[in-house]
Amino acid sequence: MAERTDPVHLVLIDGSGFIFRAFHALPPMTDAEGTPVNAVFGFANMLSRLLRAHKGTHLAVIFDAGRETFRNRLFPAYKAQRPPPPDELVPQFALVREAAQAFGAPAIELADWEADDLIASYARAAVAAGGTANIISSDKDLMQLIRPGVTMQDPIRETEIGLEAVMQKFGVGPDRLIDAQALIGDPVDNVPGVPGIGPKTAAQLILEFGDLEAILAAAPAMKPGKRRDMLMQHAEQARMSRRLVTLRDDAPLPLPLDALAVRAPDPATLAGFLGRYGFRSLISRLNLVAPQPDLSDPPAETASPPVPFGPYAIITEAAGLGAFLDESRRSCQLALVPIVTDDAAGSFLPIGLGLAVAPGRAAYVPLRHAGDLDRGAPAQLDPARVAECLGPWLTDPAILKLAHDFKHARHCLAGAAIHPQDDVMLMAYAIETGLHGFDLDGLTERHLGHALTRLDTVSGIGRNRVALATLPADRVAQVAAARADAVLRLRARLHPMLRQQRGLCLYEQVDRRLSDVLFAMEQAGIRIDAGELQAISTEFAARMQIMAADIHRLAGTDFNVASPKQLGDILFDTLNLPGGRRMKTGAYGTDAQVLQTLADDGHEIAARVLEWRQLAKLKSTYADALVKEANPRTGRIHTRFAMAATATGRLSSVDPNLQNIPIRNQEGGRIRAAFCAAEGHVLVSADYSQIELRLLAHVADLPGLRESFRNHEDIHARTASEVFGVPLRDIDPATRRRAKAINFGIIYGISAFGLARQLSIGPAEAKTYIDAYFQRYPGIRDYMEATKRQAREQGFVLTPFGRRCHISGIADKNPARRAYAERQAINAPLQGGAADIVKRAMVHLPAALADQHRDARLLLQVHDELLFETLADTAQALARVVTTTMESAAELSVPLVVETGIGRTWADAH
């Protein structure tokens, strides 16, 4: 090698900073195969411009290799609060590195080191070689490197960042910037610093005392005050902050300096890369020759025909699975659809796995088709071998994993760690809440215009149904692979819609992240006391017998209380009660509404039957059924949380439903007493207080209600005083109860008839109360009318956090159905807003509990309540952390308030 004569002038480009800047600056873009490429395009644009503007002898683009570095071992909370990168950015990381190589620029990264450390180390090497370094970045952390021989350039403003710029920003020069940052801290990176010290104070201290150690040594002699106290109390925190912000210039150099010599990009290689991703404008701007199509292939049609669904392959060998997975390197995405056995309710045991790497490119991996084994068909892949093959792909950050209901998919994959991930069910739900169902078949037909073959057409239905596991793999393969293909195509269709319809933030920051939280909750389950449940069942049965005897006495004869037909005959034939209507079957209707009307009219037998039915339901649904639902090995109930089932964004609980246990009556308390903590543990309940009323005060802009909440007043007593004209000190329980019924009834658009029924008063009197309420709070009526108008004009209403809740029937010609839809429209922003707040809290809780409450587990979410299990001696501390996190989940014009309780059982904690 000839001896180098020109001095080194090394241009160091902060590649990681460029990626995020490009991604957020440009709208969504995809290549022909649906891979996101907006960050790649922006990066290529910036790189081409920089290479023209900055002529050096040597060049490198520096990237972060990962989120975890040596700094996390020094301080585990370092950058811990940063959310993961957006899913559509993740597959672009590898492509950006490929772009740098295509431009002839070495792409450099090093595990366990940040890009900033590599930049510091290469700058030091350039100066040591007698040369200079120019850092292309606007990152404030890199300003500490500025010195003779090392300059810094803002790539956007195209101006040099010199001594004056650093002095203007921090009040000190680059040589004292580390000390200033140690004092100030950095909330973005979770660097603590010293509380209460900002840039101005830090600069004053440095100019007066010198470096950090000199400042800390001088602190005891400073004038008494908060600044001195903070410096003394947080001295070690400041020292740790200094270690975190100091850039290391001793990182190993992945490539030697000589290997960074500038070389012109190969025109064919660069044009090939740009053409592959559709960057035709860049090809033209750079005067490159666009790559020509392979003339050996038939001429392309003017409009490419859609890629067909199938046929698909069946993979039965590990080598074939590995080769198929390798194809996801090109598309940067992998769709997974587990096919579960259908012969056991709630089973997560997959009989096979549908995979897709590109539109039309999907396959089926059979795992447990017993029928094939019996017939001596080709061997299937062992599930453990498949898990081993899939493992590296499921955690590869450069490959986006896709599914429909990822939470369910993780259960099927034995809880495998999967990152990053996208869920097409939740994507659709974030923008179409309340519009329709979100099953894969329906989404595929609506958004892709393709009708998937349903699994039950393969297995049969009714008496002809056979278990999928007994069918040969080739009977299931095409159906399963098509479902994976549909998931992959749906992602390409739905993700741009998220941004267009302003659902992207809700999906990425709440719903998608909540999936992992709920998965952990479902895995944990909640312990039950089987003996207590059996005792409750026996008690309820005895009480039901007494109730039945009382009902028989009122009826004047014995009959089967559980029989609607016999009950109808007794009520409307034997007792001649009013309101009897025969159904199509010929029997009288005796549903809850019929019985409640009779009870409201003073007919005691109807009230007793309602009580008997409620107890019977609690006995069968909970006292008897929960014992069978418990896992025999752990003794815990594992409910499942449906994330896309309600019209307002609320979660629902299924298999079993634990959200319908009555809260305020004695029987519900008895059922909750059977849910208990493990030995040495307790349950902690955290419940939002009056969250929907608080949201009403916020969204309807009600000064009176806002003032009451800010002053922590009894909101129902305040309402009673203002609506009924009674001094606050004279409000009795009955008057407060009327005001409470109005407060909560208004949220649900209650009518005068409905309020009259609740309060056992006449409709005219109820209307007087409602009119007085609206007169006192006119903003509520304005809110209601505006909300109904929005629903009529747009077909949906918005929660305060941007979730679209579609309202069906809002323009129905039938007055009753239209009125019901209007009540839904009024309530949806409040109920949906409350659901969004609870979800936001749940998403933030894992990080809040990570340091000091790793043993604590979130077990249940029941509307506005969260239930935790923790060690008994840490329960109080946990309650404080949970309260703080939940109360800060959203910023409203009124305070959020959380009430907590602790106990061995759910009943004790509530």
Side-chain angles (χ1 to χ4, degrees):
M1 179 183 296
E3 184 177 351
R4 186 176 61 233
T5 55
D6 295 335
V8 170
H9 179 58
L10 174 61
V11 177
L12 293 163
I13 297 175
D14 178 12
S16 292
F18 272 36
I19 294 175
F20 285 91
R21 186 186 293 271
F23 174 76
H24 291 293
L26 293 174
M29 297 170 58
T30 58
D31 67 5
E33 295 188 359
T35 303
V37 291
N38 63 324
V40 186
F41 179 72
F43 178 85
N45 254 322
M46 285 192 286
L47 189 57
S48 66
R49 178 171 53 80
L50 287 171
L51 292 179
R52 290 196 307 272
H54 299 280
K55 302 297 183 183
T57 62
H58 293 69
L59 170 71
V61 184
I62 312 297
F63 296 97
D64 285 319
R67 293 173 66 88
E68 297 288 326
T69 68
F70 68 89
R71 288 183 176 85
N72 298 99
R73 294 192 293 278
L74 290 174
F75 188 63
Y78 180 68
K79 294 187 178 182
Q81 87 290 357
R82 283 194 177 185
D87 282 349
E88 69 270 26
L89 176 58
V90 172
Q92 301 188 65
F93 288 145
L95 302 184
V96 164
R97 287 158 172 77
E98 188 180 341
Q101 299 286 0
F103 275 94
I108 299 176
E109 58 187 296
L110 184 63
D112 204 42
W113 295 81
E114 293 187 47
D116 290 358
D117 298 306
L118 283 177
I119 290 173
S121 300
Y122 272 112
R124 176 173 177 262
V127 173
T132 58
N134 186 15
I135 301 167
I136 311 300
S137 176
S138 57
D139 187 349
K140 68 180 187 307
D141 296 333
L142 290 166
M143 294 178 184
Q144 64 182 261
L145 301 178
I146 297 172
R147 60 185 184 276
V150 181
T151 57
M152 190 168 169
Q153 198 88 11
D154 186 317
I156 303 302
R157 296 186 177 89
E158 298 184 353
T159 56
E160 181 176 346
I161 300 174
L163 175 63
E164 289 184 9
V166 179
M167 287 289 295
Q168 185 175 359
K169 186 175 182 65
F170 291 99
V172 297
D175 60 328
R176 283 286 178 256
L177 187 53
I178 296 172
D179 298 304
Q181 288 180 300
L183 291 166
I184 300 166
D186 187 347
V188 175
D189 291 343
N190 233 20
V191 176
V194 177
I197 293 186
K200 185 176 180 180
T201 303
Q204 291 173 348
L205 289 169
I206 290 169
L207 293 175
E208 182 176 355
F209 298 104
D211 63 15
L212 178 67
E213 286 303 326
I215 293 169
L216 296 178
M222 292 180 185
K223 180 181 177 182
K226 184 178 179 181
R227 186 175 69 178
R228 186 195 71 163
D229 294 344
M230 291 296 100
L231 286 169
M232 293 174 63
Q233 291 175 23
H234 299 281
E236 288 307 314
Q237 186 169 287
R239 292 186 176 99
M240 173 55 72
S241 298
R242 194 180 196 282
R243 294 176 67 188
L244 293 174
V245 300
T246 301
L247 299 185
R248 296 268 299 271
D249 62 4
D250 60 342
L253 303 184
L255 290 177
L257 201 58
D258 286 343
L260 307 185
V262 170
R263 65 181 189 276
D266 176 64
T269 300
L270 180 56
F273 172 83
L274 298 175
R276 190 156 63 247
Y277 295 101
F279 303 155
R280 289 183 292 275
S281 61
L282 258 179
I283 292 175
S284 174
R285 194 180 312 146
L286 296 174
N287 295 317
L288 298 171
V289 178
Q292 299 299 311
D294 187 349
L295 297 180
S296 63
D297 292 335
E301 297 286 340
T302 303
S304 301
V307 179
F309 277 80
Y312 307 107
I314 302 177
I315 299 175
T316 58
E317 296 180 353
L321 177 59
F324 183 83
L325 292 172
D326 279 337
E327 296 185 36
S328 67
R329 297 277 186 212
R330 172 66 184 86
S331 66
C332 299
Q333 52 189 350
L334 175 66
L336 308 100
V337 174
I339 304 299
V340 298
T341 180
D342 54 355
D343 55 0
S347 171
F348 294 124
L349 190 66
I351 62 168
L353 189 63
L355 301 172
V357 294
R361 185 67 177 131
Y364 181 62
V365 183
L367 302 173
R368 297 181 177 90
H369 284 266
D372 278 350
L373 298 178
D374 294 342
R375 286 184 291 274
Q380 302 173 61
L381 274 171
D382 176 64
R385 184 75 180 94
V386 171
E388 182 183 341
C389 289
L390 275 175
W393 300 89
L394 297 181
T395 55
D396 188 339
I399 297 174
L400 184 63
K401 273 66 69 177
L402 315 174
H404 175 274
D405 191 354
F406 231 118
K407 178 164 61 65
H408 173 73
R410 285 191 66 188
H411 283 301
C412 294
L413 295 171
I418 302 174
H419 182 78
Q421 61 193 46
D422 251 348
D423 191 324
V424 297
M425 178 187 75
L426 297 181
M427 284 183 181
Y429 188 65
I431 54 181
E432 298 175 341
T433 305
L435 198 56
H436 47 64
F438 296 92
D439 60 287
L440 181 57
D441 302 84
L443 291 177
T444 303
E445 189 158 1
R446 274 186 294 274
H447 291 285
L448 302 178
H450 177 77
L452 290 172
T453 301
R454 302 184 69 91
L455 284 167
D456 58 17
T457 64
V458 178
S459 63
I461 58 176
R463 294 181 178 178
N464 297 322
R465 190 187 72 83
V466 296
L468 286 172
T470 65
L471 296 174
D474 58 9
R475 289 276 302 279
V476 179
Q478 298 304 309
V479 178
R483 300 180 82 77
D485 193 356
V487 166
L488 189 139
R489 299 182 198 224
L490 278 169
R491 197 272 178 190
R493 181 64 57 88
L494 291 170
H495 201 272
M497 292 174 62
L498 283 171
R499 192 181 296 274
Q500 295 162 7
Q501 300 189 28
R502 300 185 178 182
L504 186 61
C505 181
L506 189 70
Y507 165 72
E508 286 190 344
Q509 298 301 321
V510 180
D511 289 354
R512 182 175 61 82
R513 295 171 65 187
L514 184 66
S515 178
D516 290 338
V517 177
L518 294 175
F519 171 78
M521 292 166 62
E522 292 174 358
Q523 290 280 83
I526 182 168
R527 187 182 181 192
I528 62 164
D529 185 335
E532 179 68 12
L533 283 173
Q534 290 167 354
I536 292 170
S537 178
T538 302
E539 175 191 323
F540 283 4
R543 288 177 58 188
M544 287 169 62
Q545 283 187 334
I546 296 171
M547 287 180 179
D550 193 32
I551 292 168
H552 293 160
R553 177 185 60 79
L554 293 170
T557 184
D558 290 351
F559 69 99
N560 182 1
V561 181
S563 168
K565 183 180 184 307
Q566 292 184 35
L567 176 62
D569 292 341
I570 290 293
L571 294 178
F572 303 114
D573 286 341
T574 304
L575 299 179
N576 292 315
L577 299 184
R581 293 184 180 179
R582 293 191 182 273
M583 313 300 287
K584 291 181 179 180
T585 60
Y588 287 105
T590 59
D591 61 17
Q593 186 175 357
V594 171
L595 294 177
Q596 187 63 59
T597 300
L598 291 171
D600 291 343
D601 290 340
H603 298 289
E604 186 180 359
I605 187 172
R608 299 289 79 80
V609 172
L610 282 172
E611 293 172 359
W612 184 92
R613 282 186 176 178
Q614 183 182 49
L615 203 58
K617 182 177 181 180
L618 287 173
K619 180 180 183 299
S620 61
T621 305
Y622 297 109
D624 296 338
L626 287 180
V627 176
K628 301 172 185 176
E629 294 278 359
N631 184 306
R633 182 177 56 83
T634 64
R636 301 175 82 92
I637 296 285
H638 298 269
T639 186
R640 286 187 288 164
F641 293 95
M643 300 183 68
T646 69
T648 60
R650 267 191 170 186
L651 298 172
S652 64
S653 167
V654 295
D655 298 332
N657 182 356
L658 299 183
Q659 294 184 331
N660 279 354
I661 303 172
I663 297 174
R664 294 179 177 86
N665 64 26
Q666 180 183 358
E667 290 77 17
R670 291 286 287 117
I671 297 293
R672 288 177 179 234
F675 291 82
C676 57
E679 292 299 323
H681 292 67
V682 292
L683 299 180
V684 177
S685 169
D687 199 352
Y688 280 108
S689 171
Q690 301 172 335
I691 188 170
E692 291 184 14
L693 273 178
R694 293 172 191 272
L695 277 166
L696 177 64
H698 173 74
V699 301
D701 192 19
L702 306 176
L705 283 182
R706 289 208 310 264
E707 181 186 3
S708 292
F709 282 124
R710 287 170 183 163
N711 294 335
H712 303 286
E713 295 177 355
D714 182 332
I715 193 68
H716 303 309
R718 168 77 179 258
T719 299
S721 175
E722 295 188 344
V723 170
F724 303 131
V726 180
L728 195 61
R729 62 180 178 276
D730 296 333
I731 299 298
D732 58 35
T735 306
R736 183 183 182 278
R737 183 173 67 88
R738 289 198 298 273
K740 182 176 180 180
I742 298 173
N743 272 333
F744 286 115
I746 289 296
I747 294 173
Y748 294 94
I750 199 168
S751 65
F753 179 79
L755 183 62
R757 173 177 289 180
Q758 278 194 29
L759 298 180
S760 301
I761 59 178
E765 185 180 358
K767 185 177 185 303
T768 302
Y769 291 162
I770 293 176
D771 290 343
Y773 190 90
F774 284 139
Q775 186 175 1
R776 179 62 189 86
Y777 300 119
I780 293 181
R781 191 181 292 278
D782 295 340
Y783 159 74
M784 289 179 168
E785 293 305 317
T787 304
K788 289 188 289 186
R789 184 168 57 251
Q790 181 190 25
R792 283 192 296 269
E793 293 173 354
Q794 300 181 343
F796 62 84
V797 293
L798 292 171
T799 72
F801 307 97
R803 185 183 299 278
R804 291 189 178 190
C805 300
H806 290 81
I807 308 297
S808 61
I810 192 66
D812 201 295
K813 293 181 180 179
N814 182 294
R817 285 195 289 267
R818 186 173 63 250
Y820 175 73
E822 289 176 345
R823 290 194 295 274
Q824 280 188 306
I826 292 167
N827 176 245
L830 306 177
Q831 190 179 103
D836 288 338
I837 290 174
V838 175
K839 288 179 175 180
R840 287 157 66 104
M842 294 172 72
V843 165
H844 295 152
L845 277 164
L849 303 181
D851 290 337
Q852 299 181 9
H853 297 281
R854 293 182 182 275
D855 65 289
R857 294 191 290 182
L858 177 55
L859 305 183
L860 291 180
Q861 186 267 356
V862 181
H863 305 315
D864 305 333
E865 177 188 10
L866 299 179
L867 190 68
F868 301 80
E869 183 176 43
T870 190
L871 292 169
D873 57 359
T874 63
Q876 293 288 351
L878 173 71
R880 288 192 292 272
V881 173
V882 168
T883 298
T884 300
T885 305
M886 292 176 66
E887 290 182 347
S888 60
E891 291 188 12
L892 305 179
S893 57
V894 297
L896 288 171
V897 174
V898 172
E899 298 171 346
T900 60
I902 300 171
R904 281 279 301 137
T905 73
W906 191 4
D908 294 337
H910 194 270

